[in-house]
Amino acid sequence: MAPPASNTREKLLMAAMELFTTRGYEATSIADILERSGVNSGSLYYFFDSKQDLLLSGLDYFKTLLYPIVMQPNFEAESDPIERIFAVLAWYRRNLVLCNLDYECPMGKLALEVGRHLEAAREKIAINFAAWREHIRQCLDDAGNRLPRDLDRATLATFVMTVMEGALMQARTHRDLSFYDQSVQHLRSYFSQLQAQAAAQIRRLPRRKRTNTT
Amino acid sequence: MAPPASNTREKLLMAAMELFTTRGYEATSIADILERSGVNSGSLYYFFDSKQDLLLSGLDYFKTLLYPIVMQPNFEAESDPIERIFAVLAWYRRNLVLCNLDYECPMGKLALEVGRHLEAAREKIAINFAAWREHIRQCLDDAGNRLPRDLDRATLATFVMTVMEGALMQARTHRDLSFYDQSVQHLRSYFSQLQAQAAAQIRRLPRRKRTNTT
DNA sequence: GTCTATAACTCGATAGAC
DNA sequence: GTCTATCGAGTTATAGAC
């Protein structure tokens, strides 16, 4: 958790995670990381015990980037809590386009490759997942009575993540953006239906105030 | 496509795919495959040109197993077309339980690891994905007017696959079945809403006219 | 903290007898 | 078709000078 205050260390973390989350952990050699970071072998093993240690530190590093890189820009661009969620999903779509459809959720990619082989990595990936979902759940909480009263916000946040991960996987594999859009569109339909249910609940039990629908 | 009529070849394909889809392609060595199959190096390279060739042949092999292993048993156990889809999702849940929550969709796992590194592999994985979706789409077609008239069955099939892949990923990473169940439950809710919409369409136009609300 | 050189090992793939 | 022995390249990690 303590920031290293070393440029070399951060260069290594950045280079390693870029490679691990795109090429894969096993497919990335130490030599690849040294080349990309412009650092020598001796320095790497001065800061990190092993390739595994580099991965684990990188997963901690990624967690610190989640809010400022993924969430904050989209939350600032959109004030409506429900639209914030779809803004995040549009951000992933943009990455897909920018990477010529060769993009995956970095955590999702590592989750499948090393998620159960290395228990320490699994825990850290799970923490990243949980943080992502927590931000989405906060949006759902902020939506207040625009969603059904008895709807569990946490499980809906899980569902949003499910859709993001599954949709990216198919779009990348088919090299076809429409697979992503189709899934997000169905999620949007589901949200519309939930919002309609919530509106009906409010009409049915207006708390002495006037009912107002969206 | 022509069956090899060789026991050794099939033993190699089976062993290789079991390892590739669980440990991963890069993490599996030729030595691992030889050990598991009980075959020697010379025989492997008699039947296959390389590790890559073994993967590509394995992906073809997997395609032939999709219907008899994954779909048919569930379709036979359940006659209702919509319930057939949820029976398939329950089958994946069962795998998750049987593997102590260390289970992933074999194709999803390979899609993320080698899906874009090897173009030939990507194509074959996409073919497997398409076949899976096609079976689901057939169920949706069979549901007829129990789903809304203007609903695109193909995109809904994509959405079903999206949910399966994303839900498995989270359940495995968290080692917690409830992440799978939560996502499937939301998919079930979505289906219920769609079925309600379809029922309303039918009531509205039974054969003549009728008042409509909503 | 950083550098070069290299140890120790595993990898995919091959050779050639049978 | 199957076997054993092994090659050469590439792997992670270390040693020791600076």
Side-chain angles (χ1 to χ4, degrees):
Chain A
M1 262 307 174
S6 157
N7 191 21
T8 300
R9 199 188 119 101
E10 196 140 342
K11 274 197 289 189
L12 283 165
L13 282 176
M14 188 66 117
M17 286 307 277
E18 280 177 12
L19 291 167
F20 289 162
T21 60
T22 52
R23 288 190 207 176
Y25 176 73
E26 293 284 348
T28 298
S29 71
I30 299 286
D32 294 332
I33 297 168
L34 298 177
E35 188 186 18
R36 170 172 279 242
S37 60
V39 168
N40 293 97
S41 165
S43 296
L44 189 153
Y45 285 98
Y46 173 78
F47 288 107
F48 303 98
D49 291 341
S50 63
K51 188 182 174 184
Q52 271 192 30
D53 183 35
L54 186 50
L55 170 66
L56 296 177
S57 302
L59 291 170
D60 289 336
Y61 179 59
F62 243 60
K63 168 84 161 30
T64 69
L65 301 180
L66 173 65
Y67 185 72
I69 301 289
V70 183
M71 298 296 170
Q72 193 176 26
N74 292 302
F75 287 3
E76 283 176 355
E78 183 63 63
S79 60
D80 181 277
I82 289 178
E83 292 312 312
R84 280 182 169 178
I85 293 172
F86 286 95
V88 170
L89 295 179
W91 182 86
Y92 282 93
R93 185 189 198 274
R94 225 150 43 232
N95 284 341
L96 212 38
V97 172
L98 289 172
C99 296
N100 245 337
L101 300 178
D102 191 358
Y103 175 79
E104 262 304 326
C105 165
M107 278 304 123
K109 168 119 178 149
L110 287 178
L112 287 210
E113 187 188 354
V114 300
R116 289 302 284 275
H117 182 198
L118 289 171
E119 170 60 15
R122 197 219 102 236
E123 281 177 28
K124 290 180 187 294
I125 295 167
I127 287 171
N128 273 273
F129 274 5
W132 198 97
R133 278 186 281 105
E134 186 54 29
H135 289 299
I136 300 299
R137 194 195 55 76
Q138 184 62 56
C139 292
L140 295 171
D141 279 350
D142 293 344
N145 64 4
R146 290 169 57 201
L147 292 172
R149 203 172 291 117
D150 55 342
L151 178 118
D152 185 325
R153 270 69 174 159
T155 71
L156 185 55
T158 296
F159 191 59
V160 170
M161 183 165 192
T162 286
V163 172
M164 183 272 285
E165 296 288 358
L168 281 180
M169 180 192 288
Q170 286 180 81
R172 192 180 88 127
T173 299
H174 287 286
R175 283 198 313 203
D176 186 340
L177 202 49
S178 67
F179 284 88
Y180 187 80
D181 292 333
Q182 288 169 15
S183 290
V184 172
Q185 184 52 48
H186 277 288
L187 182 67
R188 175 71 89 169
S189 296
Y190 184 47
F191 266 78
S192 297
Q193 293 170 354
L194 291 173
Q195 289 176 257
Q197 284 175 20
Q201 284 180 343
I202 293 173
R203 277 196 302 276
R204 219 173 298 133
L205 299 171
R207 288 187 56 191
R208 176 183 313 187
K209 284 195 211 170
R210 292 175 44 78
T211 64
N212 63 348
T213 54
T214 43
Chain B
M1 261 308 172
S6 157
N7 190 21
T8 301
R9 199 187 120 102
E10 197 141 341
K11 274 197 289 189
L12 284 164
L13 281 176
M14 189 66 120
M17 286 307 278
E18 279 177 12
L19 292 166
F20 289 162
T21 60
T22 52
R23 289 191 205 175
Y25 177 72
E26 293 285 346
T28 298
S29 71
I30 298 287
D32 294 332
I33 297 168
L34 298 178
E35 186 186 18
R36 171 172 278 243
S37 60
V39 169
N40 293 97
S41 166
S43 296
L44 189 153
Y45 286 99
Y46 173 80
F47 287 108
F48 303 99
D49 291 342
S50 63
K51 189 181 175 185
Q52 270 192 30
D53 183 34
L54 187 49
L55 171 65
L56 297 178
S57 302
L59 290 171
D60 289 336
Y61 179 59
F62 244 58
K63 168 83 159 35
T64 69
L65 301 180
L66 173 64
Y67 185 72
I69 302 291
V70 183
M71 299 295 169
Q72 193 177 26
N74 293 302
F75 287 4
E76 281 175 357
E78 184 61 65
S79 60
D80 181 277
I82 289 178
E83 292 312 312
R84 280 182 170 179
I85 293 172
F86 286 95
V88 170
L89 295 179
W91 182 86
Y92 282 93
R93 184 189 198 276
R94 224 147 46 229
N95 284 341
L96 214 37
V97 172
L98 290 172
C99 295
N100 244 338
L101 299 179
D102 191 0
Y103 175 80
E104 262 302 329
C105 166
M107 280 301 123
K109 168 118 177 149
L110 287 177
L112 287 209
E113 187 187 355
V114 300
R116 290 301 285 273
H117 182 199
L118 289 171
E119 170 60 15
R122 197 218 101 235
E123 281 176 28
K124 288 178 189 297
I125 295 166
I127 287 171
N128 273 273
F129 274 4
W132 198 96
R133 277 186 281 104
E134 185 54 29
H135 288 298
I136 300 300
R137 194 194 55 74
Q138 184 63 56
C139 293
L140 296 171
D141 279 350
D142 293 345
N145 64 4
R146 290 168 58 199
L147 292 172
R149 204 172 292 114
D150 54 343
L151 178 118
D152 185 326
R153 270 68 174 160
T155 71
L156 186 56
T158 296
F159 191 59
V160 171
M161 183 166 193
T162 286
V163 172
M164 183 272 284
E165 295 287 358
L168 281 180
M169 181 191 289
Q170 285 179 83
R172 191 180 88 126
T173 300
H174 287 286
R175 284 198 309 202
D176 185 341
L177 202 50
S178 67
F179 285 89
Y180 187 81
D181 292 334
Q182 289 169 14
S183 290
V184 172
Q185 184 52 47
H186 278 289
L187 182 67
R188 175 72 88 171
S189 296
Y190 184 47
F191 265 78
S192 298
Q193 293 170 353
L194 292 174
Q195 290 176 255
Q197 284 176 21
Q201 284 180 343
I202 293 173
R203 277 196 303 277
R204 217 174 299 134
L205 300 170
R207 147 171 25 151
R208 280 276 179 100
K209 58 175 175 14
R210 195 96 181 246
T211 55
N212 61 349
T213 50
T214 308

